[in-house]
Amino acid sequence: MKLATIWVGKGRVQWAEAGAAEYTRRLPAHLGYRDIQIKPEAYRGDKVAVRDAEARSILAAIKGGDRLIALDERGVDLTSEAFASLIDSAAQLGTKRLVFAIGGPYGHGAAVRTEAWKTVRLSKMVLNHSMARMLLSEQLYRASTLLWGG
């Protein structure tokens, strides 16, 4: 099984970007990790329109055989062990690629939450995409050490 993160944003927080890069660099090569950046939609006074347009871009990057996990503050709380178990479950189900989606400044459009296999939150607080990517990257690395050693 492969892993990917799809995120909406500009990547302006350099220390968080460096942290995300460091943790994903440590992932085992067999996971074939990919980081997919989507340009944020311009805000023209309608948050729903922005979320919907970004949702279309996220879903366009999903391929057959992928399982989507939406990272959203309305998702379930997981321990690191439960997060690793979720990844293992996806692999046991024959998932070709497990994709984690991080929304833009206004969150995910309804279509992403509808299409998601699971919805998980990294915090009860809303995090910007750079912080969410760094936290996700660290947890992916931690899960890989729990599942495959490190």
Side-chain angles (χ1 to χ4, degrees):
M1 181 179 73
K2 307 295 182 192
L3 294 178
T5 301
I6 298 174
W7 58 282
V8 178
K10 295 180 181 176
R12 292 184 178 160
V13 182
Q14 293 306 312
W15 60 267
E17 299 299 316
E22 174 61 25
Y23 283 112
T24 56
R25 180 192 63 76
R26 296 179 187 184
L27 289 172
H30 77 271
L31 294 175
Y33 179 79
R34 287 205 50 227
D35 185 67
I36 304 163
Q37 180 181 6
I38 293 175
K39 183 180 172 188
E41 190 70 22
Y43 179 72
R44 293 183 176 86
D46 186 352
K47 291 179 185 179
V48 173
V50 169
R51 284 191 295 257
D52 289 346
E54 291 171 351
R56 285 190 296 275
S57 295
I58 289 170
L59 294 176
I62 301 298
K63 302 173 184 175
D66 287 353
R67 285 191 194 272
L68 176 63
I69 295 179
L71 298 175
D72 188 283
E73 71 271 12
R74 291 165 284 216
V76 297
D77 288 315
L78 298 174
T79 63
S80 295
E81 291 80 8
F83 184 72
S85 180
L86 179 69
I87 292 170
D88 189 48
S89 294
Q92 298 302 321
L93 291 169
T95 304
K96 290 182 180 178
R97 185 173 71 155
L98 187 59
V99 179
F100 296 87
I102 299 171
Y106 304 109
H108 284 300
V112 168
R113 288 191 302 278
T114 299
E115 292 296 319
W117 175 56
K118 304 283 183 186
T119 303
V120 172
R121 73 174 169 194
L122 297 173
S123 171
K124 290 181 181 182
M125 295 182 214
V126 174
L127 303 171
N128 73 34
H129 64 270
S130 293
M131 288 290 296
R133 280 183 60 234
M134 186 179 70
L135 289 171
L136 172 64
S137 298
E138 192 279 335
Q139 287 301 302
L140 289 172
Y141 170 69
R142 185 175 302 273
S144 75
T145 63
L146 290 169
L147 294 170
W148 302 290

